[in-house]
Amino acid sequence: MQTPINIYEAAGGENTFRRLIEHFYGYVAAHPDLSPLFPEDFSEIKAKQYAFLTQFFGGPPLYLQEYGQPMMRARHLRFPVTPKRAKAWLSCMSRAMDDVGLEGQIRQFMFQRLNLTANHMVNTEEE
């Protein structure tokens, strides 16, 4: 019997995920469709995103321990997440994944899960 792959560890663990978050929010801060949704200081958001992605991809349950159940859709309802913004978010994440060298099946799996999640966050039609 084959042991299931822990994506968090297979992708490089803490180091990779911290770098991914840094690159990702660099792109978000510069994106005209996304930056207006975020505060000027990304420190807290980076910490939350790191905790969420770590847990989401099989690492320690950091988000649960610090913030409780993720309930991401409910937490994002106060923000106008349009299909265009979900696509922009995914574009920023894809670029960040390139920057940190995620590739192959691990990247494909991660991006597929993030794609489902980003589209699940959509709560507003295009303006």
Side-chain angles (χ1 to χ4, degrees), residues 37-72:
L37 298 177
F38 291 88
E40 209 170 291
D41 181 2
F42 282 84
S43 301
E44 183 179 351
I45 291 169
K46 286 179 182 179
K48 285 181 176 180
Q49 182 74 282
Y50 172 76
F52 175 75
L53 289 181
T54 294
Q55 180 172 317
F56 190 64
F57 288 113
L62 302 178
Y63 195 94
L64 180 65
Q65 292 168 352
E66 185 71 23
Y67 308 105
Q69 290 295 330
M71 303 181 307
M72 286 294 126

Side-chain angles (χ1 to χ4, degrees), residues 82-103:
T82 62
K84 182 178 180 182
R85 286 184 173 135
K87 186 175 178 179
W89 190 96
L90 287 165
S91 173
C92 291
M93 184 56 75
S94 180
R95 291 175 68 192
M97 292 172 106
D98 288 343
D99 291 346
V100 301
L102 287 170
E103 54 189 25

Side-chain angles (χ1 to χ4, degrees), residues 14-47:
E14 180 179 355
N15 182 50
T16 297
F17 279 79
R18 289 207 183 276
R19 289 177 35 240
L20 180 66
I21 298 304
E22 285 300 318
H23 286 269
F24 172 71
Y25 281 107
Y27 293 124
V28 168
H31 199 290
D33 294 324
L34 298 177
S35 62
L37 298 177
F38 291 88
E40 209 170 291
D41 181 2
F42 282 84
S43 301
E44 183 179 351
I45 291 169
K46 286 179 182 179

